């Protein structure tokens, strides 16, 4: 499910109409591209068409910087498409926001250190100094920006500047424990991935494991989603669950949940890195 | 995990204190019983002790009708225990409440017909005539009691009389689609098992699959619980889930959910039949 | 995931080459079809391309009986394709082979009775009389063909004649407990669906729950696959699992396994009915 | 499910007989202990009784070093028990054996660094130098002992000496990729935990992901077990699985499997650390 290097990926959506796949694949074919992966989905409720197509650029006759315009001219404009064009050899730059719950952080770091993902982590932002040594050891910049009610707007401004300065492509909140303002979120639409420690929409908000314990559920979950202005209500990328029983104390739920959270978050990041996630309104199409 | 015939089962709870297991097993031992299964759980938050113990009556020297009093005298009263005493050779009588969604109904009927469970189904109550032939074919009485706002109190009164008349031990709402009144529910505490077609507490109330679709969850669930006056909030016996994706329409969720519902409900009934479920406040201990 | 009525479905495979999706969608487009679902997969190891495409026939300008030839002329022959063409309004005819383990049988019957699937069951074949009443009650023909070493070839001959006589499209072995001969299997390639009561390839052959118990596994499974001459080694359509523990006796494994088997088999049948399964060598592509 | 500090734990097995739980709890009660957890299981096939009991030592009137003898005198000898006595405040010492597949290693290290487990890791043994820096950074000793056919016996001798020198309680093979000799294994019975990258007994031996891909399974798994002389056949502690499809290449299976392996191994280690695992013949009772 990993696309070859030197490939292009188009993520498209538009009103459903006759001939879309044909038009897209015809465009690629006529310019010498070889389709290596193609997924499409029609949402019958909304009358919308969604597509992800990857093709090899080896014998493609358009320059990379000309593809967007050529695609618009050939069919994009006429078919009222919105799309994003990605190249598989671009190494994406991911910023990590962390706090003191470090299990997701360490899990991501190990994947980074072992080269599991094609990704660059230029900086980690935290509201605590705790994880600085672990970050700097890998040659990653660490910025400690403690946030409180008074300075939140200023600190977020600094965060946004840092993201720009470091040329970041997307942000991962690895149990960051702070709520981002609407301004921040709208500046990075579908570019901020969060992990929530419950099976959303159950137990949104604070202390989900306590709430799960109180309710006596037999299964707990974790949810990774894009952050929107509406807390814990953004489009869900990935969820998973694990069984629990009456024997599990809140501490046990927290312990079991940690493993769930880190795996669910890692899967969401992987899907995002592969350009497999297309968020539309409040749902995701994960190709 | 099935107890032998000619066994007794005690389900006990009491304030936690030193020596409970010893006292219970000593009582059984002194009267010639042989413990075949024993589970206990201490809830540290509530300071409560819970226990399920099964023993063979083969060489037990108390008559069945004397056990309760002897247990009370020996330790029950002193240790402030509440308990229920069950005998494994008693064939429990289960009433089914159904409506028109028949998948749980047919699943239970097949288990009944093939003798999978040790249970008697003397009657089925429905607010529709639809399933009468399937019920009567197996020699089970079928009572159609259509419920509307005006006659609800009267119809429930008839239902309660039927349950008494048929000597019913517990009730299963197999997608009955009607809300039982507080009066009904309090007359049958922890004796009415419902199946809700969502992963509670997410999507309580009506049309959970529609709500799940709208929210864009990646996993759907089903929950079996004892019915309490608080709708969809009773103690959970069993839950399970299945993965879905953007490709699944609401109809697909309903289709996948049907299989989940019938299996989750069947597991809950099985646990209940084995006297493995101890409900305390709003949680269950499922031994 | 259910295709509209009055649609056509093509299941295609061929050597991978440039322009396949374009060629197929162009063919459909030029004849007035509207693609409603499209999935494709390239097996890089084998250099093979696989595709499932569904389109509405509402404004398609070819007669149904002319599509195959037109497709062959337009691209099928040149691209060395093999394909099958299906129509969603054709109600497929499924034969059930059963024995005495009836849980899968009853589960399928309930789906049939409630119209869950678009399918016709014209006949049930068994080597025991046991289930005759349940079958005939629904107006389905029941044929009892007891099989032993001596008469196996003859009885299979009768079975094959019955399948032909009833115009059967595919066969489901719902815990039939008999091994079909190579002759039978090769007459119905990828048209006989079996359910095996283990997580294949673990515990192939007889008494898998006993073997699972002996091995002390913590999870048991069930596997639905197309039957090939090589016992329990045919292409897998669907698998699922459930947790067990040391507390579960063999009887418990059998009990839990029954629920797994019937759900896994039902899912495989559903996928097959939707023409979503493409078997190639010993693997399936399940679109 | 974590026992309090200053508690004792007994893991017992013996021939099944009347009055065992009573005798054990009576012993604890008479010496002033308060039972905080008790699990028992009777294997009806083997006629064996298994038990795990934990009790607080706060008011226990026996010295720790006298418990074994007192227990033997009071009931252990007479009831033909075998048992092990553990104390929850003893910090167990775990040796890690690693190679070059580092995902399990990093996962364990993160748990160690964050204090998730009550455990000491005094040394890591590897046949490669690769992970030395990551180990030594945490103040853990690293010993590189490359193994080949010729030096295997000598190197294992050194390993055994190191384990003794460092006072190790148990060994974890975190994808060590070497087969331990029968001599080594028998010196550490039920004290060496391995992670195998398949759902055993399916795909035992080398290259399980390749084999899983070839077989076309729809689910892959990982298995943690105690190492015995019989390769991949030791008593299973924990297993888990994840869904895959035709779209997943062998590389995808490896990628998804890594997450499975590290979680399954971590769960097994946690159970072992809690003294919840009792291996008997080739099965485990995991209380």
């Amino acid at each position: 499910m990993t696309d070859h290097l030197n490939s292009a990926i188009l993520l498209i959506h538009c009103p459903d109409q006759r001939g879309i796949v044909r038009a897209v694949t015809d465009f690629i074919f006529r310019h010498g591209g070889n389709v290596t992966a193609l997924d499409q989905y029609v949402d019958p409720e909304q009358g919308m068409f969604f597509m992800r197509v990857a093709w090899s650029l080896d014998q493609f006759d358009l320059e990379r910087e000309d593809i967007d315009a050529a695609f618009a001219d050939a069919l994009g404009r006429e078919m009222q498409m919105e799309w994003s064009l990605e190249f598989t050899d671009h190494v994406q730059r991911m910023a990590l926001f962390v706090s003191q719950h470090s299990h997701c952080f360490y899990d991501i770091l190990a994947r980074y250190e072992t080269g599991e993902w094609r990704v660059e982590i230029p900086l980690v932002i935290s509201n605590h100094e705790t994880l600085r040594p672990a970050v700097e050891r890998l040659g990653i910049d660490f910025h400690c920006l403690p946030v409180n009610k008074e300075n939140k707007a200023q600190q977020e401004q600094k965060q946004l500047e840092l993201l720009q300065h470091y040329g970041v492509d997307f942000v991962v909140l690895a149990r960051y424990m702070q709520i981002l303002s609407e301004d921040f979120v709208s500046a990075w639409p579908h570019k901020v991935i969060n992990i929530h420690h419950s099976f959303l929409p159950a137990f949104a908000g604070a202390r989900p494991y306590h709430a799960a314990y109180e309710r006596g559920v037999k299964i707990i979950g974790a949810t990774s989603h894009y952050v929107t202005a509406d807390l814990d209500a953004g489009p869900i990328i990935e969820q998973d669950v694990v069984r629990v029983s009456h024997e599990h104390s809140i501490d046990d739920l927290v312990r079991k949940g940690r493993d769930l959270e880190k795996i669910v978050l890692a899967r969401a990041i992987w899907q995002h890195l592969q350009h497999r996630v297309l968020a539309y309104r409040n749902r995701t199409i994960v190709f």
Side-chain angles (χ1 to χ4, degrees), chain A:
Chain A
M1 302 188 70
T2 311
D3 299 289
H4 309 280
L5 291 186
N6 199 32
S7 293
I9 295 170
L10 269 173
L11 282 169
I12 302 167
H13 68 271
C14 64
D16 192 26
Q17 56 204 288
R18 225 166 59 83
I20 309 177
V21 177
R22 172 188 168 272
V24 173
T25 53
D26 188 60
F27 171 81
I28 295 167
F29 182 79
R30 278 188 294 104
H31 289 288
N34 185 24
V35 169
T36 50
L38 185 153
D39 291 278
Q40 62 105 55
Y41 166 66
V42 178
D43 182 332
E45 312 260 316
Q46 316 220 33
M48 290 296 291
F49 174 91
F50 303 89
M51 184 174 179
R52 180 189 187 275
V53 59
W55 72 94
S56 167
L57 294 172
D58 286 351
Q59 307 182 334
F60 202 61
D61 63 13
L62 290 173
E63 294 301 311
R64 290 183 178 207
E65 56 273 23
D66 299 334
I67 298 178
D68 262 324
F71 187 77
D73 289 348
L75 69 161
R77 209 171 299 118
E78 191 189 326
M79 288 187 149
Q80 296 174 265
M81 287 173 167
E82 294 183 48
W83 69 88
S84 63
L85 174 67
E86 314 286 350
F87 299 102
T88 54
D89 53 11
H90 167 66
V91 178
Q92 293 170 74
R93 296 169 72 80
M94 167 169 92
L96 270 188
F97 280 42
V98 298
S99 187
Q100 288 181 304
H101 292 271
S102 57
H103 50 286
C104 290
F105 164 78
Y106 276 114
D107 187 63
I108 291 169
L109 228 61
R111 295 172 199 268
Y112 188 59
E113 194 161 358
T114 57
E116 180 177 319
W117 294 332
R118 264 181 73 77
V119 74
E120 191 69 32
I121 305 182
L123 87 156
V124 173
I125 290 175
S126 178
N127 51 351
H128 292 275
E129 281 288 347
T130 328
L131 301 175
R132 180 184 291 276
V135 170
E136 295 187 338
R137 184 174 53 77
L138 294 178
I140 303 170
D141 286 0
F142 183 88
H143 294 269
C144 183
L145 295 171
V147 174
N148 56 41
K149 272 186 193 167
E150 284 68 40
N151 72 1
K152 182 163 179 170
Q154 293 154 269
Q155 297 294 63
E156 282 202 346
Q157 193 50 44
K158 283 190 198 156
Q159 291 169 350
L160 288 166
E161 286 165 18
L162 285 167
L163 297 182
Q164 187 143 30
H165 173 73
Y166 281 94
V168 162
D169 289 297
F170 69 103
V171 175
V172 170
L173 309 183
R175 298 294 310 273
Y176 174 52
M177 311 301 282
Q178 297 290 325
I179 298 170
L180 299 178
S181 74
E182 201 167 332
D183 282 354
F184 190 114
V185 170
S186 59
W188 286 79
H190 300 156
K191 295 289 183 194
V192 181
I193 299 174
N194 186 42
I195 177 74
H196 183 76
H197 40 318
S198 84
F199 183 75
L200 287 174
F203 312 124
R207 296 166 73 81
Y209 293 125
H210 288 73
Y213 180 86
E214 288 303 319
R215 182 60 190 89
V217 292
K218 300 301 185 191
I219 288 175
I220 57 168
T223 304
S224 188
H225 62 94
Y226 288 123
V227 178
T228 57
D230 198 357
L231 185 66
D232 295 335
I236 293 169
I237 306 169
E238 169 70 354
Q239 301 188 288
D240 210 347
V241 298
V242 69
R243 285 202 165 262
V244 295
S245 79
H246 65 273
E247 290 189 282
H248 292 92
S249 66
I250 292 174
D251 283 352
D252 289 317
L253 302 192
V254 170
R255 174 177 55 79
K256 290 179 90 75
R258 273 194 299 254
D259 282 356
L260 209 50
E261 293 162 33
K262 72 189 188 193
I263 298 300
V264 167
L265 178 57
R267 286 186 197 152
I269 295 172
W270 189 85
Q271 303 278 16
H272 184 89
L273 282 170
Q274 306 295 317
H275 306 294
R276 296 191 161 271
V277 191
L278 206 163
Y280 182 72
R281 301 204 172 155
N282 210 41
R283 307 173 74 227
T284 61
I285 291 99
V286 182
F287 286 121

